Amino acid sequence: MNRLYMILLSAIALSCASPEKPITNPDDYSQYLNTSGENEKIKLAEEELTFWSGKFSESPNQYAYLSKMAAANNQLFDLTGDIKHLNNARQNLRTAVEKTGGSSAPLFRALAKTYITHHQFREANDCLTKADSLGEGHEATQKMLFDVKMELGEYDEAKRLLKSFQNEDDFHYLIRYAKWLDYEGDTEAAVAQLELAKAKAELMKNEGLRLWIYSNLGDFYGHIGKIEKSYEHYLKTLEIDPHYHYALKGIAWINFSHEKNTAEASRILAALEQAHPVPDYLLLRSEIADFNGDIEQREDLEKTFIKLASNPAYGDMYNAYLVSLMETNPAKALELAQREVINRPTPQSYQLLASAYLLNDQKEKALNVAEKEVLEKTFEPKSLLAVAEIYEANGKTSKVAELKKELMNAAYELGPVVERRVNQF
């Protein structure tokens, strides 16, 4: 059963139900908006980095110290959102690879992980290919290669890799099988696989795996319209890590998209921006401003986002978001979209290219790309919305009507601002 069909069923069920009290309750999560405990974690990570940096200065031939420095930098990036720490971790690992003559598969995998976070998937692929040639930790490398192949749009190779490490008792296989099923549009089956993985993580009492699976189930249940379960899993995430920013952002989205409680969503975002100042929150704040009719604030927030996200230190991490905000600079939008297709040739990237062509008044080119590379190759509502806009520009009203029926039932995932846009078709 594909994703949009599941969303449709959920929407029908919700429309038939009597009004219910809000799902969220500030008493459940307000305690997690306090940043004092997180500051202590940052302090410890900084002390760790200082310690290992000192050890490396004393013994610059010890590459193991570089790995420790990279781990501390990665933790600081997770905690603070400061991109310099991710870039420093990547440089630590590059130096370690050089010092070992490229003979360590674990180092190549660690370096690949930083490239993945930075959305440098081709570089990650090169690292993992080298790791695979060394043999050590072959299955771990194959699993990471699957992730990268999915990001590169190499789906046949990803499927081959998935079969190569198939093991229904393995948490890491189950979550990747779920990713594959979601790509195919069978989100119901993907959630079932994630639930199996959750049971294994809980049986192993592994906090790291539980953190990952709870936060991802929070997302997936939201995709299929089960908002209460989504909320429940975000709270489970926060019980393990009270400073897990992603889960708090998910709760902010529920407040905004499901409950239309912009004041509470904004309160959560204000705390997040103080604790973890990354550009991402500006986009949600701009949507809230738009929903509230404050167009001036929305424009100011978008301008601030563009300025911050265009920082060269971020590389290509925010290209997908920047393309959609470049209405006043169509040439730049096209340049970024073309770069994204080179870096990450997935249907979603081709959707960005099609949208950029439309922004540049090349509606026939936009239609060609949309029909050839996007339609029926992704079930993402945002991509289908872009296709609907391209159909509208090309006068294909019957095609727009078909997509509108599906998009109206993806209102929660798209958000109330985009829902208004869909209503205008």
Side-chain angles (χ1 to χ4, degrees), residues 159-176:
K159 187 175 183 180
R160 184 194 69 77
L161 287 163
L162 186 65
K163 288 182 177 179
S164 75
F165 55 79
Q166 183 174 352
N167 178 357
E168 294 179 5
D169 289 324
D170 178 25
F171 174 92
H172 298 284
Y173 166 74
L174 290 170
I175 63 173
R176 286 170 171 85

Side-chain angles (χ1 to χ4, degrees), residues 45 50 107 109 157 181 218 252 269 279 286 386:
T50 299
L107 280 178
R109 285 195 294 272
E157 179 61 11
L181 290 168
L269 290 171
S286 73

Side-chain angles (χ1 to χ4, degrees), residues 29 84 94 119 229 306 314 335 367 384 407 420:
Y29 56 80
K84 75 178 182 185
R94 280 175 175 169
H119 290 200
K229 277 189 167 290
I306 291 170
Y314 286 113
E335 176 192 331
L367 181 62
L384 297 181
L407 290 168
R420 286 193 310 214

Side-chain angles (χ1 to χ4, degrees), residues 139-158:
E139 188 169 304
T141 302
Q142 295 283 290
K143 288 171 180 174
M144 288 186 72
L145 270 169
F146 167 82
D147 298 334
V148 170
K149 296 300 183 183
M150 291 293 288
E151 298 294 346
L152 291 174
E154 297 178 18
Y155 300 117
D156 289 342
E157 179 61 11

Side-chain angles (χ1 to χ4, degrees), residues 3-4 6-7 182 187 219-225 227 253 256-258 260 284 287 378-383 385 406-419:
R3 182 175 184 172
L4 285 169
M6 283 302 300
I7 295 170
D182 187 51
T187 309
D219 289 348
F220 271 75
Y221 275 122
H223 293 331
I224 60 175
I227 316 303
W253 182 258
F256 172 53
S257 186
H258 180 69
K260 311 300 187 290
L284 181 46
E287 283 195 67
T378 177
F379 298 95
E380 291 291 332
K382 287 183 180 179
S383 292
L385 171 65
E406 297 176 334
L407 290 168
M408 283 301 298
N409 295 299
Y412 170 76
E413 189 172 353
L414 291 169
V417 173
V418 178
E419 182 185 5

Side-chain angles (χ1 to χ4, degrees), residues 10-28:
S10 300
I12 291 171
L14 287 170
S15 68
C16 296
S18 58
E20 296 179 343
K21 62 181 181 180
I23 287 171
T24 63
N25 181 348
D27 291 342
D28 294 335

Side-chain angles (χ1 to χ4, degrees), residues 78-112:
D78 290 340
L79 290 169
T80 68
D82 190 336
I83 191 63
K84 75 178 182 185
H85 292 299
L86 178 61
N87 289 330
N88 287 343
R90 183 178 56 191
Q91 188 54 51
N92 294 151
L93 291 165
R94 280 175 175 169
T95 304
V97 166
E98 291 171 7
K99 283 186 172 291
T100 57
S103 62
S104 170
L107 280 178
F108 274 122
R109 285 195 294 272
L111 180 56

Side-chain angles (χ1 to χ4, degrees), residues 353-425:
L353 180 61
S355 294
Y357 278 134
L358 184 61
L359 190 60
N360 280 270
D361 294 323
Q362 299 181 56
K363 61 183 183 181
E364 293 84 5
K365 264 191 175 182
L367 181 62
N368 182 55
V369 172
E371 291 189 328
K372 183 180 178 182
E373 303 290 352
V374 183
L375 201 62
E376 298 184 2
K377 293 189 177 182
T378 177
F379 298 95
E380 291 291 332
K382 287 183 180 179
S383 292
L384 297 181
L385 171 65
V387 174
E389 290 173 337
I390 291 166
Y391 275 142
E392 182 183 48
N394 282 274
K396 294 183 176 290
T397 54
S398 62
K399 296 286 189 181
V400 174
E402 289 173 16
L403 287 173
K404 181 176 179 177
K405 291 176 184 177
E406 297 176 334
L407 290 168
M408 283 301 298
N409 295 299
Y412 170 76
E413 189 172 353
L414 291 169
V417 173
V418 178
E419 182 185 5
R420 286 193 310 214
R421 169 69 184 112
V422 174
N423 276 318
Q424 292 170 1
F425 284 135

